[in-house]
Amino acid sequence: MNSKGEIVDISADYYLVDIKNEPDFSEACITGVILSQEDENKMRKRVGQVIEAGNNLSGYSRSELAQLCNIKSSQFSKIVRGEAWLNIGNLGLWGFATGITPTDVVQGTPLNASPSQCISWFINGHLHHFDHDEFELFTKLICRRLGLRHCQVNVSGDHPVPKLRDKNWQTMYIDDLITTAGKRIKQLREQLGLSQKGFSDILGVTPETIKRYESGQDRINRGVFSTFRLFATTHVCPIEITKGSIHHRLRYVQEQRFLALHEITKQLDYEKYKVLKNLTLNYSKI
């Protein structure tokens, strides 16, 4: 809410991924929005509900998802109960495993998703490591098998997302995301003409935390709440903070694939969802 106690409306448009590498901080400003501890507690519980809904849609057990996100099962249980946050790197890992983007988490859409959205997320999460040709082959297969119209994904030059257990996730993709986010945070702070102390006051963290973010020594903690706070207090879309990273490129590809899958799956009758789910599981294991 803002300083007058009014609820801040955050449009979905601000969270859409685009392929530009450089961030747009042209509208950055200090909004005067104040987010209380009560606001954070409510959002953390809401996000926990969304994470649990995503877990149930993914086809993975909670312990499997915890392992994929490289966190302890006990910590993951706290996140589901709304007692802790997923940091930005682990939120990304969870998103690639489930096919659900951080945007979906912010909007709470897994809580009231349509059947076609659910199956689209499911497929996307299980095929995230396919390259373009493999993905196209599978979508053509399901369209042929189920008598559906094929929707091609026109993302040129995309690369497969590595399997989540691949060490490249940590050494290349997540580390790259942390470094890029740190660089963008520094650019945003300078755009606003703020010292590290001034920026830390706005974002509700310590100056030492801002210093660690900017140097790439630390992940952005508190996950969704940090991205919400970033937009609410500076009017900057959180996706701008990841632009130029490998993670951002892969998230763009994944979003385009989800849109294509949704176009395909919304043609389905409900009885065919189980067939498609089994087909996805079998194909993704080949």
Side-chain angles (χ1 to χ4, degrees):
M1 59 183 64
N2 60 22
S3 57
K4 297 180 181 179
E6 299 167 335
I7 298 297
V8 178
D9 178 31
I10 295 190
S11 168
D13 291 342
Y14 285 108
Y15 289 89
L16 294 178
V17 178
D18 65 58
I19 198 57
K20 295 175 185 175
N21 285 325
E22 292 301 316
D24 180 8
F25 294 149
S26 60
E27 296 187 11
C29 62
I30 302 170
T31 63
V33 170
I34 299 173
L35 296 172
S36 67
Q37 186 64 51
E38 182 182 2
D39 294 327
E40 178 168 359
N41 291 341
K42 286 180 180 178
M43 181 173 283
R44 191 173 58 241
K45 289 180 180 178
R46 177 69 170 177
V47 167
Q49 294 173 339
V50 175
I51 294 289
E52 179 67 348
N55 294 350
N56 295 334
L57 293 174
S58 71
Y60 294 107
S61 68
R62 190 186 291 184
S63 60
E64 284 177 312
L65 283 171
Q67 183 181 18
L68 291 171
C69 293
N70 198 29
I71 57 178
K72 295 180 179 178
S73 294
S74 58
Q75 179 69 7
F76 202 52
S77 295
K78 287 183 180 180
I79 291 163
V80 169
R81 293 197 301 267
E83 299 172 2
W85 291 105
L86 268 175
N87 68 34
I88 198 68
N90 288 337
L91 179 63
L93 289 171
W94 179 86
F96 282 115
T98 60
I100 297 171
T101 69
T103 304
D104 301 316
V105 176
V106 172
Q107 296 172 339
T109 46
L111 293 176
N112 54 4
S114 67
S116 59
Q117 283 178 308
C118 292
I119 194 66
S120 299
W121 282 324
F122 180 86
I123 298 171
N124 209 0
H126 283 270
L127 305 185
H128 65 278
H129 57 277
F130 279 20
D131 64 22
H132 183 72
D133 291 339
E134 289 172 321
F135 185 82
E136 281 293 297
L137 184 63
F138 176 73
T139 55
K140 288 177 181 177
L141 171 67
I142 61 175
C143 288
R144 227 175 20 246
R145 184 76 61 89
L146 299 174
L148 304 174
R149 178 173 51 84
H150 180 249
C151 300
Q152 186 172 358
V153 184
N154 295 313
V155 182
S156 60
D158 70 312
H159 300 287
V161 181
K163 292 185 178 181
L164 292 170
R165 293 183 178 88
D166 191 326
K167 63 181 180 181
N168 283 337
W169 263 115
Q170 183 62 47
T171 58
M172 184 182 296
Y173 293 87
I174 300 301
D175 289 350
D176 177 67
L177 172 62
I178 296 168
T179 301
T180 301
K183 181 168 65 175
R184 299 306 184 206
I185 286 173
K186 183 177 181 180
Q187 286 178 319
L188 174 58
R189 177 176 64 79
E190 293 175 344
Q191 174 81 14
L192 293 169
L194 296 171
S195 65
Q196 289 182 336
K197 173 65 169 62
F199 201 37
S200 69
D201 290 341
I202 290 173
L203 294 184
V205 297
T206 66
E208 290 74 20
T209 298
I210 293 293
K211 186 177 180 178
R212 288 198 302 273
Y213 286 168
E214 291 187 357
S215 64
Q217 295 176 23
D218 209 351
R219 299 184 185 188
I220 299 175
N221 295 321
R222 298 155 78 189
V224 170
F225 187 72
S226 290
T227 59
F228 181 89
R229 182 186 287 277
L230 184 74
F231 175 86
T233 57
T234 67
H235 202 265
V236 168
C237 167
I239 202 67
E240 302 296 329
I241 299 299
T242 70
K243 280 189 175 178
S245 67
I246 301 169
H247 183 92
H248 175 262
R249 171 68 192 185
L250 295 178
R251 184 59 76 190
Y252 168 79
V253 172
Q254 189 183 45
E255 184 179 80
Q256 299 307 305
R257 289 180 173 184
F258 171 81
L259 293 173
L261 286 169
H262 196 211
E263 284 299 310
I264 292 171
T265 57
K266 72 182 184 181
Q267 306 172 57
L268 283 175
D269 295 329
Y270 186 77
E271 310 84 66
K272 293 184 178 179
Y273 289 147
K274 187 174 182 180
V275 175
L276 183 50
K277 197 170 185 178
N278 289 334
L279 188 62
T280 302
L281 283 174
N282 292 332
Y283 194 84
S284 62
K285 293 175 182 177
I286 295 175

